[in-house]
Amino acid sequence: MKPTHIEHIGIAVKSLETAIPVYEKLFGLSCYAIEEVAEQKVKTAFFKVGQTKIELLESTDPEGPIGKFLEKKGEGVHHIAFAVDGLAETLTEMDAAGVKLVDKTPRKGAEGLNIAFIHPKETIGVLTELCEKPE
Amino acid sequence: MKPTHIEHIGIAVKSLETAIPVYEKLFGLSCYAIEEVAEQKVKTAFFKVGQTKIELLESTDPEGPIGKFLEKKGEGVHHIAFAVDGLAETLTEMDAAGVKLVDKTPRKGAEGLNIAFIHPKETIGVLTELCEKPE
């Protein structure tokens, strides 16, 4: 695989209501969408910076992945997502090469993207997602 | 201010020797430079992904900032850097607006960039750097 760019940076925050004004006032970014991803138990706020999105992630359930992350590590970067072409083929190749994957086939993520997570044991402390725009 | 793109993502790792092959083999990126920044007590490896660089940061001194981060939080994203135009003016404006800054004026960072850090209390769990290419 060869990622084309950083698609987004996912940042866990306790409260979107507190965090959105920081990104708007301090960094001059515009929140262009807020989306709830029920399956992931998060509410997400999106900002665009060049090729990359900042996704602020507020937990909607302490037992969800962001809820647990906040409990364990506090607020901060939760994951990085690379944009790739040919996500399904990439995952098949990684799986064949013995790379541990959370998702062996693409699933739907925020904004309708096809996404998959690599198992964190493979990526040295940084939870890493791969994303592809659907056809 | 209005950042133009994510200039880099700084990731603290215990060992560049272990981490570089992961970024090369797993993600298909090329390490194009390794640089020691003595003042920051780090050795850095650089990869380019679209507009953004991945900077892997290995500590050269347990008492340095990356050494302390690794001790406290383990491997993971250490900071995010926004590229901005007019860094000195941006810092002056932020300071006047009461924003706490680590660096009130630009200093030299890796790759000869002018850089400054915002105080982490301002940015909700994400240490944030501003960067500008020198004239």
Side-chain angles (χ1 to χ4, degrees):
Chain A
M1 88 176 219
K2 172 98 182 121
T4 55
H5 59 282
I6 308 285
E7 210 282 332
H8 66 265
I9 301 171
I11 298 172
V13 299
K14 286 182 196 161
S15 156
L16 289 184
E17 198 182 336
T18 305
I20 289 171
V22 170
Y23 280 79
E24 292 199 321
K25 287 179 192 159
L26 187 59
F27 298 134
L29 303 175
S30 297
C31 177
Y32 69 87
I34 293 178
E35 180 182 339
E36 185 161 345
V37 184
E39 191 209 348
Q40 289 295 307
K41 296 168 180 170
V42 290
K43 206 162 74 173
T44 306
F46 296 90
F47 305 80
K48 196 81 199 271
V49 194
Q51 294 175 322
T52 301
K53 290 178 298 198
I54 303 274
E55 290 190 11
L56 300 182
L57 303 157
E58 177 191 279
S59 176
T60 57
D61 180 340
E63 294 303 312
I66 298 302
K68 286 182 183 168
F69 180 89
L70 287 167
E71 174 71 25
K72 193 175 163 194
K73 299 209 169 185
E75 294 178 297
V77 174
H78 175 262
H79 68 275
I80 292 176
F82 289 117
V84 297
D85 296 325
L87 177 57
E89 299 79 359
T90 299
L91 295 171
T92 302
E93 284 168 21
M94 284 184 159
D95 188 40
V99 175
K100 283 187 84 174
L101 300 170
V102 175
D103 305 293
K104 290 193 180 185
T105 55
R107 60 183 168 88
K108 283 288 167 195
E111 296 199 312
L113 292 178
N114 297 324
I115 69 157
F117 278 91
I118 298 170
H119 193 284
K121 286 195 177 171
E122 300 283 359
T123 55
I124 315 183
V126 181
L127 182 62
T128 304
E129 178 182 343
L130 306 178
C131 296
E132 183 181 42
K133 273 194 184 169
E135 297 286 309
Chain B
M1 88 175 217
K2 171 101 182 117
T4 56
H5 59 280
I6 308 285
E7 211 281 331
H8 66 266
I9 301 172
I11 299 172
V13 299
K14 286 183 196 161
S15 157
L16 289 184
E17 198 182 336
T18 306
I20 289 170
V22 170
Y23 280 80
E24 293 200 320
K25 287 180 192 158
L26 187 61
F27 298 133
L29 303 175
S30 298
C31 177
Y32 69 87
I34 293 178
E35 180 181 339
E36 185 160 345
V37 184
E39 191 209 348
Q40 289 295 307
K41 297 169 180 172
V42 289
K43 206 162 74 174
T44 306
F46 296 91
F47 305 80
K48 196 81 199 269
V49 194
Q51 294 175 323
T52 302
K53 290 178 297 197
I54 302 275
E55 289 190 12
L56 300 181
L57 303 158
E58 178 190 278
S59 175
T60 58
D61 181 340
E63 294 304 311
I66 298 302
K68 286 182 182 167
F69 180 89
L70 286 168
E71 173 71 25
K72 193 175 164 194
K73 298 209 170 186
E75 295 178 296
V77 174
H78 175 262
H79 68 275
I80 293 175
F82 291 116
V84 297
D85 296 325
L87 177 57
E89 299 79 357
T90 298
L91 295 171
T92 303
E93 284 168 20
M94 284 184 158
D95 189 40
V99 175
K100 284 187 83 174
L101 299 170
V102 175
D103 306 292
K104 289 192 181 185
T105 55
R107 60 183 168 89
K108 283 288 168 194
E111 296 199 312
L113 292 178
N114 296 323
I115 69 158
F117 278 90
I118 298 170
H119 193 285
K121 284 194 179 172
E122 300 283 0
T123 54
I124 315 183
V126 181
L127 182 61
T128 305
E129 179 182 342
L130 307 178
C131 295
E132 183 182 41
K133 273 194 183 167
E135 297 286 309

